[in-house]
Structures are given as structure tokens and as C-alpha cells.
Amino acid sequence: MSKKNRLIYLPLGGAGEIGMNAYVYGYGPAGKERLIVVDLGVTFPDMDGSPGVDLIFPDIDWLRQRRASIDGIFITHAHEDHVGAIGHYWEDLGAPVFARPFTANIARRKLAEHGHPDSVVKVVGTYPEVIHAGPFSLSYVPISHSIPESAGLLIDTPAGRILHSGDFKVDQTP
């Protein structure tokens, strides 16, 4: 494998669809990247196409195999399609969870429902506060959406800056 560092982006769900948001960013030599996860959500089935199914989860097998490389899970906001899978998957990933206060409260409840410690959730502020996770430096950037404390992520990497928008809604009457 090449020793040259690379930046990767891997959507496990949510890209090009509504729901089940789960994104992976990585940086490092091919096959040895340090990783962060942005959002870990569920989606709700269409009753016509999936009768009897309550929730649909992203496939995190690739992440499970790289558990030791995950430096953090960053949740952009408290909608189910962004935080709904945290209780189901946290044990498989084992990384600290970062979120704004409102979202952190929801994430803690999801973890508690599955018997996981709520101490893994770290409450963070907004830009200019910076969280360091492996080769990444991240800041939460407030955005307008339909739930309190929604945020995008400003992700600085050795390869450049990424703006992960999260969900947003232009508020015509703030």
C-alpha cells in the first residue's frame, strides 16, 4: 500500500436520500486512515414497501472492521435520521460522541436506552471552539433548521478544509 496520505469521504447512508445519515471522513495512508463519523441516523420505512419493519439502519460493517481507527462521532442535530442509531451502534464503534447541548441530551437518552454510558457524549460549543480528533480539527457552525442547535461542521484536515452542511432550512422569518 502507498504511504502517501489521502482524504476519503464515504457516505454510508443519507447521500442522495432522506434519512439514515451516516458519513465517514478519513485521512492518512491508504488502508490506515484515521476516521471520524458524522451523524449516525435511522430512516423510517415506507409501509407499502416494508411492512413490519420499524427502522432501517446504515450498514456499518466497514466501520466495525476499523473501530480502532475512529477518533470521534460528531452529531449535527437531534433529528432521528441523524442521531437515531447512536444507541444501537455505539458499542460497535466505541468512539467519543460530540454534539451541541440539545443534541447531546438526545444522544445520551439514546445511549441510556441501550445500557451505554452517557459519559461518552461530549457537549461542545460553536465556532471558534475547536475539537481535535486525530488529524482533524472540527468546529460546529450554527445553521437554521427545524430543530434547536442545528449545526454544520467545519472540518480542517491536512489536505484542506471541508464544510459538512448537515441539514438546513432557510428561515424567511427568523
Side-chain angles (χ1 to χ4, degrees):
M1 283 193 205
S2 171
K3 293 185 180 188
K4 184 179 178 186
N5 291 331
R6 66 181 186 164
L7 177 66
I8 62 170
Y9 165 69
L10 176 63
L12 300 177
E17 63 187 328
I18 295 175
M20 202 172 56
N21 291 278
Y23 309 94
V24 180
Y25 292 94
Y27 184 80
K32 295 183 180 180
E33 296 88 357
R34 298 304 304 171
L35 307 171
I36 57 170
V37 178
V38 176
D39 292 330
L40 208 48
V42 298
T43 195
F44 300 96
D46 171 337
M47 292 313 292
D48 293 332
S50 307
V53 174
D54 293 326
L55 294 173
I56 300 172
F57 296 87
D59 180 353
I60 66 161
D61 284 342
W62 188 87
L63 275 176
R64 280 188 188 105
Q65 296 168 19
R66 291 157 181 82
R67 173 189 169 115
S69 298
I70 303 170
D71 291 315
I73 301 167
F74 296 82
I75 308 298
T76 60
H77 65 283
H79 279 150
E80 286 293 307
D81 64 327
H82 292 262
V83 71
I86 194 75
H88 296 274
Y89 283 158
W90 180 81
E91 190 170 28
D92 293 330
L93 304 179
V97 177
F98 299 90
R100 301 278 294 117
F102 182 83
T103 304
N105 185 45
I106 302 298
R108 285 183 178 122
R109 290 178 186 209
K110 300 278 182 199
L111 290 163
E113 288 172 4
H114 293 270
H116 304 310
D118 64 5
S119 61
V120 302
V121 179
K122 313 298 181 205
V123 175
V124 296
T126 58
Y127 181 86
E129 183 178 329
V130 175
I131 304 105
H132 299 282
F136 301 96
S137 296
L138 300 96
S139 293
Y140 279 78
V141 180
I143 57 173
S144 178
H145 192 33
S146 59
I147 193 165
E149 296 180 348
S150 295
L153 289 169
L154 187 61
I155 306 169
D156 284 314
T157 78
R161 178 173 278 177
I162 300 164
L163 176 61
H164 183 98
S165 68
D167 288 354
F168 62 91
K169 178 180 178 186
V170 176
D171 189 350
Q172 300 295 329
T173 57

